[in-house]
Amino acid sequence: MSIIAANLQAVEATIEAAVQAAGRQRSDVQLLAVSKTFPAEAVLEAMAAGQGAFGENYLQEALEKIAHVARAQPDAKVEWHFIGPIQSNKTRPIASSFDWVHTVERLKIAQRLSEQRPPELGPLNICLQVNISGEASKSGASEAELPELARAVAQLPNLRLRGLMAIPERATDGEQQRAAFARLRKLSDALRADGLALDTLSMGMSGDMDAAIAEGATIVRIGSAIFGARHYD
Ligand SMILES: *Cc1c(COP(=O)(O)O)cnc(C)c1O
């Protein structure tokens, strides 16, 4: 078995244990394999092991990888999720090459993605990134601006607002990790109570996926636990 296949098995076991401990179903949580900085060959290896959804942060690198994978496996069903910072002059290739975008934090970006989404692809799935730890340097909409942003994005014709995403401050303590994820879940609950049909909480990475699943994550974004340590980031 390849290292990537073995790592995927180990991650799967972690997810299953966390799901069971939380009294949830395995099908409630999607594993997004974050392949940034790793070559297309690593993606193909993960695909051979049954992985079908991949997250990328850097647009140019992602576009090359997506094209490479499409040439190598033209019939494979692969889902691509953009999870990196978005520059407003780069929205067009994001709108046409990805199935999901997790990092929308401004209405202007959402409007461009909606305008530029090729209609034949169907709506682009969107998560709004929230700055859950309130750090000035981190990206994401503030909790205060979230309700208005969510209502506006939900109106855009070629997008489907699915939910919220966060990258909390790094914490090794499980309680601290859970508190941040619980905050995102409560924000999502409030928006749902307000009438928005959200079904996605994108939260949890290699170091804190159990805490995220305990607090209701529906997508965990896992990089290094699958592909190994990154050499640049
Ligand atoms: C890199 C990255 C991940 C994966 O992080 P790991 O700690 O390697 O699992 C998840 N989400 C985002 C937004 C990332 O940039």
Side-chain angles (χ1 to χ4, degrees):
M1 191 189 299
S2 75
I3 291 174
I4 288 173
N7 287 347
L8 273 167
Q9 267 191 9
V11 167
E12 184 58 41
T14 304
I15 293 174
E16 263 163 37
V19 154
Q20 271 204 359
R24 302 178 62 201
Q25 304 287 319
R26 175 62 189 89
S27 55
D28 294 344
V29 182
Q30 182 186 22
L31 170 58
L32 181 65
V34 177
S35 42
K36 65 171 178 229
T37 80
F38 290 96
E41 284 68 29
V43 170
L44 291 167
E45 219 174 294
M47 285 168 63
Q51 178 62 29
F54 296 89
E56 289 284 339
N57 292 54
Y58 310 110
L59 185 59
Q60 199 48 47
E61 176 194 328
L63 295 175
E64 287 165 21
K65 222 176 286 184
I66 290 169
H68 186 120
V69 168
R71 278 194 304 273
Q73 294 282 336
D75 298 324
K77 258 220 197 129
V78 197
E79 225 177 62
W80 292 100
H81 295 228
F82 192 76
I83 62 169
I86 305 170
Q87 291 171 276
S88 58
N89 61 344
K90 301 284 174 59
T91 48
R92 190 176 296 279
I94 294 176
S96 56
S97 298
F98 287 83
D99 304 293
W100 284 72
V101 179
H102 292 228
T103 41
V104 172
E105 56 181 13
R106 286 190 290 141
L107 181 57
K108 168 142 176 282
I109 296 288
Q111 285 167 332
R112 292 176 66 97
L113 288 170
S114 181
E115 280 160 19
Q116 295 168 345
R117 176 69 169 174
E120 67 274 15
L121 295 181
L124 179 61
N125 296 293
I126 298 292
C127 290
L128 301 178
Q129 183 174 358
V130 185
N131 182 354
I132 206 76
S133 312
E135 295 159 276
S137 59
K138 275 254 179 79
S139 25
S142 72
E143 294 183 26
E145 62 199 5
L146 180 64
E148 194 184 328
L149 175 64
R151 276 193 296 273
V153 171
Q155 302 297 320
L156 295 172
N158 300 317
L159 305 185
R160 183 167 166 215
L161 179 61
R162 299 296 296 267
L164 305 181
M165 177 273 207
I167 313 172
E169 236 175 333
R170 202 178 288 277
T172 45
D173 175 65
E175 292 290 312
Q176 241 176 305
Q177 291 174 349
R178 281 188 65 156
F181 294 134
R183 251 177 118 83
L184 193 70
R185 175 169 46 78
K186 285 183 190 129
L187 290 170
S188 163
D189 289 346
L191 295 174
R192 286 159 54 141
D194 235 21
L196 291 176
L198 307 184
D199 62 7
T200 301
L201 280 174
S202 166
M203 58 189 198
M205 320 206 307
S206 293
D208 55 15
M209 64 183 124
D210 343 39
I213 289 169
E215 294 298 342
T218 66
I219 300 181
V220 288
R221 309 179 309 266
I222 310 299
S224 47
I226 296 171
F227 296 106
R230 287 182 291 275
H231 297 295
Y232 68 98
D233 204 336

